[in-house]
Amino acid sequence: MSIDLLLQSIDHQFPVRKANLDGETLSGLRLNDGIVLSSSFRGSQFTRARLTGMTFQDCDFSGASFADASLDKCTFVDCRASGSDWRRARLTQSTFMTSDFSHSDFGETRLNQTTVMRCVLAHTILSKACLSQSALMGCDLDHVALDNATLTNAAITQADLRSAQLKGLRCDTIHFSECDLSERDLSGLMLARANLSGAKLKGTNLSGTDLSGSVLTGASLVGADLSGATAPNTLFVRADLQAARLRNADLTQCIFFEAHLDGCDLSGAQLGTAVFTRALARGASFAGADLSYALMHHAMVDGTDFSGSRFLRTDFHCASTEGSRFVNQHGSILNTVPKRAVAELYDPSGVIPLYGVS
């Protein structure tokens, strides 16, 4: 099939099937509202092309170039595009599904309101790319390069990022749900308002990272280093922080409800109005920490070090503090309120009503 026949078929809204345009030059062309099926464009040039409303299914773009191209409302399904070039391309409201983009270059590409689902992006370059209101969902991101990329209101879900290049990554309101970032060095990154629910961060270096307003509900942070992190208003609900290091971190107004903090080092941390209700923090260290107005309701802090801590109406209602150290601490604490403790144990389901009693 010639390029002219391709253009005529698209202009007349006639689906193109089994076309072979390998190595052809389509640079600067405008393709609108067409459907292309089971066709081959291996090594073809789409540089500076403008594609709008195009659908490609089961097509081969291996080694093709979309550099500086503009794609709006386009769809790629079950396509093969290994080794393709998308540098500086602009992708808007487009969808890529179950396609292979391994070893491709998306450097400086802009993805806006674009979804990439169950695609292979192994060894793909996304350096300096900008993802806004876009998502990489269930993709193979083995050795993907995201260094100096900017992700805003974006999502990367269910991905193994242990081999990803993340140096200089900037994120704001990013969704990293159920991703594996174990043992990675993420120190100093901007991860403000990130959703890391259920993420695997075992042994991860998050020192000096900005996690302001982030969500780490149910995340695994065993042995992680958050020393000096900026993380006010962050949710650590039911997170596993055993043996983690949070020295001198800003954890103001953080929620550690039912979190596991055994052996955790929180010395020197800012914990004003933080909530540790029903948390396990046995053998932890709060030495020199600011615990002003913090809530320790029903927390287990046995054998924990509070020496030199600053208290101000810090509430230890029903907390277990057996063997804990309170040396040189200063300020005021609130102890268990017996009547309140009894009321909290009240279970109305165990009450048998007495009928007929006047």
Side-chain angles (χ1 to χ4, degrees):
M1 175 180 283
S2 66
I3 295 176
D4 287 340
L5 184 54
L6 171 71
L7 296 176
Q8 289 176 23
S9 298
I10 292 175
D11 286 342
H12 290 86
Q13 298 184 339
F14 187 82
V16 176
R17 288 186 173 87
K18 297 183 179 180
N20 189 328
L21 289 163
D22 291 347
E24 293 287 352
T25 299
L26 298 94
S27 300
L29 292 181
R30 292 175 177 266
L31 303 176
N32 300 318
D33 304 316
I35 297 175
V36 183
L37 308 171
S38 304
S39 298
S40 182
F41 299 89
R42 295 174 64 88
S44 295
Q45 297 292 316
F46 289 86
T47 53
R48 299 182 303 282
R50 295 181 65 86
L51 282 66
T52 303
M54 291 294 298
T55 297
F56 297 94
Q57 183 171 349
D58 189 30
C59 292
D60 193 345
F61 294 96
S62 301
S65 176
F66 287 83
D68 298 300
S70 176
L71 286 77
D72 185 25
K73 299 182 178 68
C74 292
T75 302
F76 291 73
V77 181
D78 295 331
C79 291
R80 298 168 298 287
S82 179
S84 52
D85 183 2
W86 301 77
R87 288 174 297 169
R88 301 176 302 279
R90 297 174 300 282
L91 313 176
T92 305
Q93 295 182 26
S94 295
T95 302
F96 299 81
M97 294 182 63
T98 56
S99 297
D100 184 357
F101 295 95
S102 59
H103 298 276
S104 295
D105 191 347
F106 286 81
E108 300 183 62
T109 298
R110 293 182 175 273
L111 286 78
N112 183 38
Q113 299 180 40
T114 293
T115 300
V116 183
M117 184 179 297
R118 297 194 300 277
C119 290
V120 178
L121 294 167
H123 298 275
T124 293
I125 297 172
L126 282 158
S127 302
K128 298 183 180 180
C130 293
L131 281 72
S132 176
Q133 300 180 55
S134 298
L136 307 180
M137 303 172 66
C139 295
D140 179 356
L141 297 174
D142 184 44
H143 287 92
V144 69
L146 282 161
D147 45 300
N148 297 306
T150 301
L151 282 66
T152 306
N153 294 315
I156 299 178
T157 63
Q158 298 178 324
D160 187 341
L161 295 169
R162 288 176 293 176
S163 60
Q165 297 178 33
L166 304 170
K167 185 177 180 180
L169 178 67
R170 296 178 295 277
C171 300
D172 192 340
T173 320
I174 177 71
H175 193 82
F176 270 129
S177 180
E178 299 182 48
C179 287
D180 193 343
L181 288 154
S182 302
E183 308 293 341
R184 296 306 313 274
D185 184 0
L186 306 180
S187 56
L189 291 185
M190 165 64 81
L191 293 171
R193 292 165 289 280
N195 188 332
L196 288 153
S197 299
K200 298 177 182 177
L201 295 157
K202 183 178 180 180
T204 299
N205 183 4
L206 289 158
S207 59
T209 299
D210 187 346
L211 288 161
S212 303
S214 294
V215 179
L216 289 109
T217 300
S220 174
L221 291 147
V222 177
D225 187 358
L226 288 88
S227 300
T230 301
N233 304 299
T234 294
L235 298 182
F236 291 94
V237 176
R238 300 186 184 88
D240 191 346
L241 289 147
Q242 294 182 78
R245 297 179 297 282
L246 292 92
R247 296 174 61 90
N248 303 312
D250 182 356
L251 302 167
T252 307
Q253 295 184 333
C254 284
I255 307 296
F256 293 91
F257 178 79
E258 293 187 354
H260 200 165
L261 296 147
D262 286 352
C264 187
D265 186 358
L266 293 127
S267 54
Q270 299 298 312
L271 291 160
T273 63
V275 176
F276 291 89
T277 301
R278 302 190 184 282
L280 300 177
R282 296 162 296 195
S285 175
F286 289 87
D290 183 353
L291 287 157
S292 301
Y293 299 104
L295 301 181
M296 293 280 182
H297 297 171
H298 298 275
M300 295 190 69
V301 290
D302 302 316
T304 293
D305 185 4
F306 290 97
S307 57
S309 296
R310 181 175 185 269
F311 297 135
L312 181 58
R313 296 186 65 80
T314 306
D315 198 339
F316 281 86
H317 173 73
C318 286
S320 178
T321 60
E322 184 177 352
S324 294
R325 295 182 60 197
F326 292 88
V327 179
N328 297 324
Q329 83 282 358
H330 53 95
S332 58
I333 65 173
L334 302 177
N335 293 308
T336 299
V337 179
K339 291 183 178 180
R340 177 181 166 188
V342 171
E344 288 171 344
L345 293 172
Y346 173 72
D347 182 4
S349 65
V351 177
I352 300 175
L354 296 176
Y355 297 103
V357 177
S358 57

